[in-house]
Amino acid sequence: MEVVIGVLLVLLLLFGIGYFVRRNVYREVDRLEARKIEIMNRSLTDEMSKVKNLNMTGQAEELFERWRAEWDEIITTQLPEVEELLFDAEDHADKYRFKKSKQVLGHIENMLNAADQNIEQIIEEIYELVSSEEKNTTEIEDLREQFKKAKKTLLAHGHTFGKAHPALEAELLKIYEGMKEFDAETQSGNYLAARDILMEKSEEMGVLANKIDLIPSLLSECTSAILLQLSELQDGYREMAEQGYFLEHIHIDAEAEKIRKRLLAFKEKIEETEIEGIQEALHEINESIETMYDLLEKEVHAHHYIKTETDKTETELFELDKQKLQTSEETELVKQSYQLTEQDFEKQRHISKQISMLRKRHDQLKLNLVKDQIAYSVLKEELTELEAQIQMVKAEHDAYRQMLLALRKDELAARQQLSELRLLLKESLRMIQKSNVPGLPDSYKQLAEEANQTVKKATAKLEEIPLDMVAVNVLLEDAAESVKKLTSETEEMVEHVFTIEKIIQYGNRYRSKDAHLAADLREAEGLFRNFHYNDSLEKAAAALESIEPGVLKRLESSVEEEISKIK
């Protein structure tokens, strides 16, 4: 029983598989059938009707007949064969010959693809033929117009082409023969062959038109314009040489001869209508001539510059020589009072040596001018460099002189600062005296003595000969720091004394009421009489603030008023 069931299941499975495979075959048959119908409906009648408007002879007729035969082959032979093969594919599927059915369907697919490609090829060839006829109709008129224009130019201006005229006429005739051949091919229905001829002759016409456009100007440049420039250039060269210009470094005659040979070769090529690269070469020649003109002009400008600037340079050197002597004298005077370094003396010697070298170079330059054996442009470069070096030496010289002046300025500034420091010392003493300070703490006395000593040391150093300003400035800085500290200490001590007095005076109102306050104030007074002003202020202030907070703040303005009276 189980075996029977197993067999039945296998049969059902095979039947199911066969059913699905046959259904897929039928679907593929339907699809290919639809493609076949689509191809049958793609009538080429409309496309081929476009060709009938052409001359149906020659190439056009041959193509038309071939296209029609290929279309008939598709409709009458290939598609009926496809129909039969579709039936075969279905029959194979019904008999479960699926592999054979698949092979037939693949063959049908290839046949339909080939038919499609054949139809597309026919349509493309029809378009090419028809469009060639349309383009030919338009472009031949353009070519004829260019031909007429070229012929008219050659007739009207034949003399401007020189010996190139016959060759140009021959090229134009060749194009004319090509147009005649084009017309013949068109009349014979050979539109594609006519198209090839037209494209070839249009390209030749473009080249010829370019030659006709350029040759007259190229010939003019080779035979007259450039030669005229060369003659003018050589005349100018000889005239300048006669005027005394040294021009041996500008080889104009040799360069002119080379250019004339090149122009002769260009002329021969142009007469053979071979103009490729000649326009660029003539442009290079013109640039070369322009460069030679520039070189001559450079010599003229250089000559003018030398005439106007040489005397100015000599005047500057004369002034520099005079200043050098003055600076040497100033150095001798300054070193009697000031301590100059070896580097300072070396700088002065270096500047003096530089000025002497500049004088020698200038004398040599004047000698070269007399000899007339050096180009003015070279001399101008030397003069320009000499002027630049003069300015550099002048700047060094001015800096050295400013250094000498700076020594005196530093001395005067030091004396002024010492005077101000002495005044500050006096002001501190006066403030002490006017404030009725009961006595001075030892630390303050030591600070005052130190300030006085540093000022005296700086003053003594400033009076030494030779004067060492580096050492003076060091001592001066110490003195300024000491005096500044003393001034600050003085102001602080006087402020403390005045504040203590105000606190004690104010606190007297509480003495009889508060024994603790009275004791603190007595201790503060004792510290005050022993010159311990800081400790006295702290003691008195703390005692009074405990009774009447904020009282110090209220007393500040009164203290400031008292201090302002003694300043």
Side-chain angles (χ1 to χ4, degrees):
M1 185 66 178
E2 292 178 357
V3 174
V4 174
I5 293 173
V7 172
L8 289 174
L9 289 174
V10 171
L11 291 174
L12 286 172
L13 179 62
L14 292 173
F15 177 78
I17 293 171
Y19 172 77
F20 283 113
V21 174
R22 277 191 299 168
R23 189 174 66 173
N24 289 337
V25 170
Y26 296 153
R27 286 178 180 174
E28 184 66 10
V29 168
D30 292 341
R31 184 183 69 81
L32 294 174
E33 177 69 23
R35 275 198 67 188
K36 184 201 75 170
I37 295 171
E38 181 184 355
I39 292 172
M40 290 181 66
N41 292 335
R42 287 185 67 181
S43 175
L44 292 180
T45 306
D46 292 339
E47 297 294 334
M48 296 179 68
S49 64
K50 298 176 183 178
V51 180
K52 292 183 179 180
N53 297 327
L54 308 178
N55 292 332
M56 294 304 293
T57 57
Q59 193 176 41
E61 184 179 14
E62 291 174 7
L63 289 171
F64 182 80
E65 292 299 330
R66 177 168 64 80
W67 295 331
R68 187 165 60 183
E70 290 176 357
W71 174 245
D72 289 343
E73 172 69 16
I74 292 170
I75 295 299
T76 61
T77 303
Q78 295 177 11
L79 293 183
E81 184 179 349
V82 167
E83 184 68 28
E84 291 178 8
L85 290 172
L86 287 172
F87 284 121
D88 291 344
E90 287 183 335
D91 184 53
H92 291 314
D94 291 339
K95 296 176 181 178
Y96 293 93
R97 298 170 62 188
F98 300 124
K99 184 176 180 180
K100 186 64 177 176
S101 177
K102 186 177 180 180
Q103 291 175 348
V104 173
L105 291 174
H107 181 58
I108 294 170
E109 183 83 36
N110 292 335
M111 291 181 67
L112 293 176
N113 288 339
D116 259 338
Q117 291 175 3
N118 199 356
I119 292 170
E120 291 297 330
Q121 180 67 27
I122 293 171
I123 292 173
E124 185 179 339
E125 290 178 357
I126 291 172
Y127 172 78
E128 183 182 1
L129 180 64
V130 173
S131 63
S132 293
E133 190 276 336
E134 292 173 352
K135 291 177 181 177
N136 288 352
T137 302
T138 303
E139 293 176 14
I140 191 60
E141 293 303 320
D142 292 339
L143 180 59
R144 287 194 175 103
E145 188 63 31
Q146 292 179 52
F147 177 83
K148 289 177 183 178
K149 182 179 178 182
K151 187 173 183 179
K152 183 178 179 181
T153 301
L154 289 175
L155 287 173
H157 306 284
H159 62 285
T160 63
F161 296 95
K163 293 182 180 180
H165 188 271
L168 295 173
E169 285 277 12
E171 290 184 31
L172 193 63
L173 179 60
K174 184 180 176 183
I175 292 172
Y176 175 73
E177 294 296 333
M179 289 192 297
K180 288 171 60 178
E181 187 179 352
F182 167 84
D183 291 336
E185 293 290 353
T186 302
Q187 290 296 324
S188 300
N190 300 326
Y191 296 103
L192 296 179
R195 179 72 183 158
D196 292 338
I197 295 170
L198 178 58
M199 292 178 68
E200 179 184 349
K201 297 307 169 184
S202 294
E203 184 178 350
E204 291 176 2
M205 187 70 247
V207 174
L208 179 59
N210 185 57
K211 291 179 180 180
I212 291 173
D213 184 52
L214 292 178
I215 284 176
S217 61
L218 295 178
L219 276 175
S220 176
E221 283 200 74
C222 289
T223 58
S224 59
I226 295 178
L227 292 175
L228 180 61
Q229 288 185 67
L230 287 174
S231 297
E232 291 176 351
L233 181 64
Q234 288 179 291
D235 290 342
Y237 177 84
R238 283 188 284 270
E239 184 178 344
M240 287 177 64
E242 290 171 1
Q243 292 174 359
Y245 284 85
F246 183 83
L247 303 173
E248 290 185 8
H249 62 293
I250 307 175
H251 308 291
I252 285 183
D253 288 337
E255 187 64 25
E257 185 60 29
K258 290 180 184 177
I259 291 174
R260 286 190 174 94
K261 289 180 179 179
R262 291 186 69 190
L263 291 176
L264 183 59
F266 292 157
K267 177 175 175 290
E268 292 175 354
K269 284 191 173 184
I270 293 169
E271 288 173 349
E272 297 172 0
T273 72
E274 296 178 8
I275 65 171
E276 185 177 356
I278 291 179
Q279 191 173 23
E280 292 77 9
L282 293 178
H283 179 70
E284 291 176 5
I285 288 173
N286 280 313
E287 285 186 342
S288 176
I289 293 173
E290 190 66 30
T291 299
M292 288 187 283
Y293 269 116
D294 290 342
L295 289 173
L296 294 181
E297 189 175 357
K298 182 179 178 182
E299 293 299 321
V300 174
H301 289 315
H303 185 214
H304 177 72
Y305 182 87
I306 289 170
K307 286 176 65 178
T308 57
E309 295 297 322
T310 303
D311 291 341
K312 291 181 183 178
T313 305
E314 187 164 10
T315 301
E316 285 188 337
L317 280 171
F318 177 77
E319 288 296 322
L320 200 54
D321 272 330
K322 188 165 67 173
Q323 291 175 12
K324 178 184 73 172
L325 294 174
Q326 293 174 352
T327 303
S328 180
E329 293 172 358
E330 288 176 13
T331 302
E332 291 298 321
L333 290 173
V334 168
K335 77 178 183 180
Q336 293 176 12
S337 300
Y338 298 90
Q339 187 170 339
L340 297 174
T341 65
E342 180 58 31
Q343 186 178 3
D344 294 329
F345 291 122
E346 178 58 32
K347 186 177 293 184
Q348 192 267 335
R349 289 192 293 269
H350 174 73
I351 292 171
S352 179
K353 187 184 295 183
Q354 288 288 99
I355 293 173
S356 299
M357 289 178 63
L358 292 174
R359 167 57 66 186
K360 289 180 181 178
R361 287 191 61 183
H362 187 265
D363 292 341
Q364 183 62 45
L365 180 65
K366 290 176 66 178
L367 184 63
N368 289 335
L369 278 171
V370 174
K371 289 181 178 179
D372 286 337
Q373 294 298 312
I374 300 179
Y376 287 123
S377 57
V378 175
L379 295 176
K380 180 193 172 185
E381 290 178 4
E382 291 183 6
L383 182 59
T384 303
E385 184 181 345
L386 181 62
E387 289 172 336
Q389 290 185 351
I390 288 173
Q391 297 306 316
M392 289 174 60
V393 173
K394 282 179 68 176
E396 289 183 31
H397 183 258
D398 290 342
Y400 180 77
R401 294 187 68 183
Q402 289 299 319
M403 183 272 294
L404 296 179
L405 292 173
L407 289 176
R408 290 289 299 163
K409 288 180 181 178
D410 288 347
E411 177 193 353
L412 295 174
R415 292 187 184 281
Q416 177 64 29
Q417 189 174 1
L418 280 171
S419 177
E420 293 171 357
L421 293 177
R422 292 190 197 98
L423 182 60
L424 287 173
L425 288 174
K426 291 179 181 178
E427 288 292 328
S428 296
L429 179 60
R430 185 182 63 81
M431 194 173 185
I432 294 293
Q433 291 171 348
K434 293 182 70 175
S435 64
N436 295 320
V437 174
L440 300 174
D442 291 339
S443 60
Y444 181 83
K445 290 179 181 178
Q446 184 179 352
L447 185 61
E449 178 62 24
E450 183 181 338
N452 273 293
Q453 288 301 319
T454 54
V455 171
K456 287 179 181 179
K457 286 181 181 179
T459 303
K461 197 67 179 176
L462 189 59
E463 300 303 326
E464 289 182 0
I465 295 177
L467 183 61
D468 185 355
M469 282 307 302
V470 174
V472 169
N473 286 329
V474 171
L475 292 175
L476 194 58
E477 186 176 344
D478 292 341
E481 185 65 29
S482 296
V483 172
K484 180 181 177 183
K485 188 174 181 180
L486 178 66
T487 302
S488 177
E489 288 287 333
T490 301
E491 292 176 351
E492 183 179 336
M493 183 176 65
V494 170
E495 182 182 349
H496 287 177
V497 169
F498 276 33
T499 305
I500 293 167
E501 289 176 346
K502 288 292 181 183
I503 291 173
I504 292 174
Q505 289 172 8
Y506 192 87
N508 285 336
R509 68 183 67 182
Y510 295 107
R511 279 179 185 265
S512 59
K513 299 176 183 178
D514 190 323
H516 183 69
L517 172 65
D520 286 344
L521 289 178
R522 281 194 300 273
E523 185 180 349
E525 288 173 345
L527 292 169
F528 183 81
R529 285 191 294 272
N530 289 314
F531 319 138
H532 300 305
Y533 301 119
N534 289 343
D535 295 339
S536 177
L537 177 60
E538 289 178 6
K539 192 68 177 177
L544 190 57
E545 281 285 331
S546 66
I547 299 298
E548 188 178 337
V551 67
L552 285 180
K553 195 70 177 178
R554 293 195 296 274
L555 293 175
E556 278 182 4
S557 60
S558 177
V559 172
E560 289 175 359
E561 185 177 348
E562 291 291 334
I563 293 175
S564 65
K565 291 178 181 179
I566 66 173
K567 281 189 174 180

